[in-house]
Amino acid sequence: MTNPEGPHVKVHFRLETEGDWPPASVESLWAVDQGDGTAWLDNIPWFVRGIACGDIVATEPDDEGVRWAGEVLRRSENCTIRLIVLRDGGSGAARQSVLNAFHELGVCGEGIERFRMVALDVPPAADLAKVQRLLNHGVAKEWWHMEEGCTTAQWRAASAG
């Protein structure tokens, strides 16, 4: 059903802001056009809540051809976790060490210098309990602040256990 080889397009999401966060009212994500008015999200959201890499969303172009995200039609079962790295002022080396630590647990991610952030894409095959222990350990040690951008029932069950 998904075509990961199709043309890449940008899908735009409207963001609800509280105060000055997130620092934008729209986030655009790379996605693969499925050719039927839907798109398979092919990057980790920095600010959109309730969305994960691999989700399939309905899209609707506006009069200028900008594709706007609609409802999620199929969930990937991935989780999106965002961190603001505090250690070493969120330096590039600090962000990379965070990414390396989670990579060993089967979690992909990327960092962005501007906000000292790391966005993590946690697949359902990862050891969710180990990922959560590392996340909570880093919060307790004040290595990062954490936000659960998109979680699943499997994620919540692992945290309850």
Side-chain angles (χ1 to χ4, degrees):
M1 179 171 192
T2 62
N3 173 16
E5 301 303 318
H8 275 79
V9 297
K10 284 284 192 167
V11 176
H12 296 74
F13 292 79
R14 288 182 176 84
L15 302 174
E16 292 183 26
T17 58
E18 293 178 29
D20 60 353
W21 196 259
S25 60
V26 173
E27 179 176 6
S28 61
L29 300 177
W30 283 110
V32 177
D33 183 0
Q34 300 299 291
D36 59 0
T38 67
W40 177 80
L41 299 179
D42 194 24
N43 88 269
I44 307 167
W46 291 107
F47 303 111
V48 180
R49 291 189 169 105
I51 295 292
C53 190
D55 289 353
I56 295 178
V57 297
T59 63
E60 186 69 38
D62 65 15
D63 293 340
E64 296 168 6
V66 174
R67 288 176 183 245
W68 291 95
E71 69 178 301
V72 178
L73 301 175
R74 193 170 85 207
R75 298 221 173 255
S76 63
E77 296 304 315
N78 292 2
C79 296
T80 302
I81 306 297
R82 294 183 273 260
L83 307 174
I84 295 179
V85 179
L86 304 173
R87 215 161 115 193
D88 297 330
S91 68
R95 291 190 313 276
Q96 189 59 53
S97 71
V98 170
L99 290 168
N100 293 346
F102 283 98
H103 184 75
E104 290 184 20
L105 299 176
V107 175
C108 297
E110 60 183 299
I112 185 171
E113 182 177 0
R114 182 172 176 200
F115 304 108
R116 303 181 334 231
M117 285 178 67
V118 167
L120 301 172
D121 180 42
V122 184
D127 185 330
L128 301 181
K130 279 187 180 176
V131 171
Q132 290 174 1
R133 279 195 297 275
L134 179 55
L135 287 167
N136 293 331
H137 180 74
V139 169
K141 292 284 192 180
E142 298 183 353
W143 293 342
W144 52 67
H145 293 303
M146 178 181 77
E147 176 189 59
E148 294 178 331
C150 181
T151 61
T152 62
Q154 189 178 351
W155 177 266
R156 291 184 291 279
S159 67

mmCIF file of all heavy atoms in Angstrom, residues 42 47 54 116 122-123:
data_model
loop_
_atom_site.group_PDB
_atom_site.id
_atom_site.type_symbol
_atom_site.label_atom_id
_atom_site.label_comp_id
_atom_site.label_asym_id
_atom_site.label_seq_id
_atom_site.Cartn_x
_atom_site.Cartn_y
_atom_site.Cartn_z
ATOM 1 N N ASP A 42 8.004 10.829 5.793
ATOM 2 C CA ASP A 42 9.360 10.302 5.679
ATOM 3 C C ASP A 42 10.367 11.144 6.457
ATOM 4 O O ASP A 42 11.538 11.172 6.119
ATOM 5 C CB ASP A 42 9.751 10.222 4.196
ATOM 6 C CG ASP A 42 10.990 9.383 3.962
ATOM 7 O OD1 ASP A 42 11.286 8.513 4.803
ATOM 8 O OD2 ASP A 42 11.663 9.597 2.938
ATOM 9 N N PHE A 47 7.971 19.516 15.755
ATOM 10 C CA PHE A 47 6.997 20.213 16.607
ATOM 11 C C PHE A 47 5.586 19.644 16.535
ATOM 12 O O PHE A 47 4.829 19.798 17.485
ATOM 13 C CB PHE A 47 6.948 21.700 16.235
ATOM 14 C CG PHE A 47 8.281 22.372 16.325
ATOM 15 C CD1 PHE A 47 8.942 22.803 15.185
ATOM 16 C CD2 PHE A 47 8.896 22.564 17.547
ATOM 17 C CE1 PHE A 47 10.189 23.418 15.260
ATOM 18 C CE2 PHE A 47 10.143 23.174 17.641
ATOM 19 C CZ PHE A 47 10.788 23.603 16.493
ATOM 20 N N GLY A 54 6.523 7.603 9.160
ATOM 21 C CA GLY A 54 5.886 6.393 8.664
ATOM 22 C C GLY A 54 4.376 6.427 8.677
ATOM 23 O O GLY A 54 3.733 5.549 8.084
ATOM 24 N N ARG A 116 18.855 23.319 20.104
ATOM 25 C CA ARG A 116 19.575 22.308 20.895
ATOM 26 C C ARG A 116 18.745 21.031 21.017
ATOM 27 O O ARG A 116 18.767 20.360 22.039
ATOM 28 C CB ARG A 116 19.914 22.849 22.285
ATOM 29 C CG ARG A 116 20.720 24.101 22.300
ATOM 30 C CD ARG A 116 21.043 24.577 23.703
ATOM 31 N NE ARG A 116 20.084 24.134 24.693
ATOM 32 C CZ ARG A 116 19.478 24.930 25.567
ATOM 33 N NH1 ARG A 116 19.739 26.204 25.585
ATOM 34 N NH2 ARG A 116 18.621 24.447 26.446
ATOM 35 N N VAL A 122 11.129 6.255 17.381
ATOM 36 C CA VAL A 122 11.229 4.992 18.120
ATOM 37 C C VAL A 122 10.314 3.963 17.454
ATOM 38 O O VAL A 122 9.085 4.080 17.542
ATOM 39 C CB VAL A 122 10.824 5.176 19.598
ATOM 40 C CG1 VAL A 122 11.031 3.881 20.371
ATOM 41 C CG2 VAL A 122 11.581 6.328 20.237
ATOM 42 N N PRO A 123 10.897 2.955 16.789
ATOM 43 C CA PRO A 123 10.067 1.943 16.135
ATOM 44 C C PRO A 123 9.485 0.963 17.164
ATOM 45 O O PRO A 123 10.047 0.794 18.249
ATOM 46 C CB PRO A 123 11.043 1.238 15.196
ATOM 47 C CG PRO A 123 12.366 1.370 15.872
ATOM 48 C CD PRO A 123 12.327 2.709 16.574
#
